[in-house]
Amino acid sequence: MKKSGYSRKGLFGAIIHYDENGNKIGESRPGFFGGMNNYDADGKKVGHSSKGFFGGVNHYDNNGKKIGHSNKGFFGGINHYDKDGKKTGYSNKGFFGGMNNYKD
């Protein structure tokens, strides 16, 4: 597993995403009707995420097409999957807060 970045809490419920070099690559902000709206580093909306019917979180592109999902892992952390159910990585709590992200 290679570390691919990290995420930290921002203001007003936002989550700021960074690559492995500390460069901002995007942001997730709470949506008006729940879930999170996802933006790239330039502030362009690229999709949204919302709670799944059976738990976890479903991820959608800006056209509403499902692109993946995330579920809590057995030993903590969060496992990430693509639209076909293939595991693409995981996230776990960082030592100083936030989440460390890893790719398979």
Side-chain angles (χ1 to χ4, degrees):
M1 294 273 170
K2 179 182 178 194
K3 186 173 180 180
S4 61
Y6 59 96
S7 301
R8 300 276 187 254
K9 289 184 179 181
L11 297 175
F12 309 110
I15 301 171
I16 314 299
H17 309 289
Y18 301 91
D19 67 14
E20 62 276 6
N21 298 315
N23 301 310
K24 181 179 175 181
I25 57 172
E27 185 172 334
S28 299
R29 297 182 217 140
F32 187 72
F33 296 106
M36 299 292 274
N37 291 318
N38 304 314
Y39 301 87
D40 65 15
D42 297 323
K44 179 182 174 192
K45 185 176 178 188
V46 294
H48 71 278
S49 302
S50 59
K51 289 184 179 180
F53 188 72
F54 296 107
V57 175
N58 292 319
H59 308 289
Y60 302 90
D61 66 15
N62 209 24
N63 297 315
K65 182 178 177 185
K66 186 174 178 182
I67 57 173
H69 68 277
S70 300
N71 294 320
K72 288 184 179 180
F74 186 71
F75 295 106
I78 300 169
N79 294 316
H80 307 290
Y81 303 89
D82 66 14
K83 64 180 178 172
D84 299 319
K86 180 183 176 208
K87 187 175 177 188
T88 59
Y90 71 95
S91 300
N92 61 15
K93 289 185 178 186
F95 188 70
F96 296 105
M99 298 292 283
N100 292 317
N101 306 315
Y102 300 88
K103 288 187 178 182
D104 273 349

